[in-house]
Amino acid sequence: MSAMSDRARRMREMRECMHVGPKLQAYLDGEVDDATVERVAAHLEYCRKCGLELAAYRAIKHALGQRQQPADDALARLRSFGEQLAATGPEPPADA
Amino acid sequence: MDQSAAAADERAQAAFARYVLPEIEVLYRVALSITAQPADAEDLVQDTLLRAYRAVERFDGTHARAWLLTILRNTEINRHRRRRPDLLDDPDAQLERHEGRGPFSAPAPGPEELVVEQVFDKVVDEALAALPVKHRQVVQLVDIDGLTYAEAATLLEVPEGTVMSRLHRARKRIRDRLAAAGLAPTRSGR
């Protein structure tokens, strides 16, 4: 391969980095269209820099996702309240 | 109670069971993200469920979660209308001020015997706590509570693009803090 075509390929890859980089987070969140999914995935096959970037965001998202479990007792009370509404409607006022 | 009132109650109860009960956990998670105290979150969800019950007969059955998030949001605003117009503020100026202070200083490294994952989680927790409240809320709603960008936008009454930009900037702050602690590769102009 000539030096010229090698340079052209590197330029293309850099342009692709600039296009894909800002979309990595939305890609991770599943918030991009199918064409963008394909384009990002194709770029990640050869671009180590974007691959590391995505891995960092994926690790952050994973750490955050495990962060908060709602208190079981509060959730159980709310479910029971909801099930009571679904079964009998709201309680009438005490003086009704 | 006459027959038509009894039939209306039955319809409301059936619709409530179908559309609202499956969303209670998400509503509670979201409430935890937008209130200061767990007890406030529980009260907020209870009020939201009552309002949803009263409105469910008029609900058309599409996008139940978005409908419930709107009720939850309005309930929260009514509860705190006088003292906390917080959800409606624009936070970007606040973030700019944060960023104007220069890079975060690296947090003190954890004891060596801690595994890397625990240190990583700790830095993420610290970075999340250091975010301006509006940015932290979006991270909580999407990454912790599991809302889509559109659902978070409905809840916060902002465009989806605003949710996206706040979320992405917030994660970049977290990522920068991890990089300062040597737990993520340094970023080159992105």
Side-chain angles (χ1 to χ4, degrees), chain B residues 88-121:
Chain B
L88 303 173
D89 292 348
D90 186 316
D92 290 340
Q94 195 186 352
L95 183 62
E96 296 303 333
R97 285 197 295 280
H98 268 254
E99 288 174 343
R101 287 181 198 151
F104 284 110
S105 55
E112 279 184 7
E113 66 270 23
L114 283 178
V115 295
V116 170
E117 190 178 323
Q118 286 173 310
V119 182
F120 187 96
D121 288 351

Side-chain angles (χ1 to χ4, degrees), chain B residues 13-36:
Chain B
Q13 286 157 15
F16 188 88
R18 179 172 176 192
Y19 298 119
V20 182
L21 291 187
E23 301 293 341
I24 287 179
E25 180 168 348
V26 168
L27 290 175
Y28 184 53
R29 284 173 170 272
V30 169
L32 285 169
S33 294
I34 65 171
T35 55

Side-chain angles (χ1 to χ4, degrees), chain B residues 57-103:
Chain B
E57 271 215 85
R58 298 188 301 279
F59 173 55
D60 67 5
T62 57
H63 305 300
R65 185 174 292 177
W67 171 68
L68 287 164
L69 289 171
T70 303
I71 295 175
L72 182 133
R73 173 194 154 78
N74 292 339
T75 307
E76 172 65 357
I77 287 173
N78 283 342
R79 285 159 56 88
H80 296 287
R81 192 160 31 192
R82 285 180 303 280
R83 68 178 172 82
R84 206 175 70 92
D86 203 25
L87 269 172
L88 303 173
D89 292 348
D90 186 316
D92 290 340
Q94 195 186 352
L95 183 62
E96 296 303 333
R97 285 197 295 280
H98 268 254
E99 288 174 343
R101 287 181 198 151

Side-chain angles (χ1 to χ4, degrees), chain A residues 20-96:
Chain A
V20 166
K23 295 188 167 59
L24 284 175
Q25 291 198 52
Y27 171 81
L28 177 65
D29 294 330
E31 298 267 1
V32 294
D33 59 30
D34 291 348
T36 306
V37 168
E38 282 180 26
R39 188 164 175 180
V40 173
H43 180 70
L44 289 170
E45 298 237 329
Y46 62 82
C47 182
R48 182 170 175 272
K49 195 173 84 170
C50 287
L52 288 172
E53 190 83 353
L54 182 67
Y57 285 122
R58 182 171 281 136
I60 290 168
K61 191 172 173 74
H62 177 74
L64 288 165
Q66 297 193 320
R67 195 170 176 275
Q68 178 173 296
Q69 293 301 322
D72 286 343
D73 50 349
L75 192 55
R77 279 194 298 275
L78 287 169
R79 285 208 172 104
S80 152
F81 181 74
E83 281 158 12
Q84 188 196 327
L85 279 177
T88 62
E91 282 181 15
D95 59 351

Side-chain angles (χ1 to χ4, degrees), chain B residues 132-153:
Chain B
V133 62
K134 288 302 186 304
H135 292 74
R136 186 166 64 245
Q137 265 178 0
V138 174
V139 172
Q140 285 177 318
L141 293 172
V142 174
D143 282 345
I144 300 175
D145 304 334
L147 299 193
T148 63
Y149 292 1
E151 288 165 350

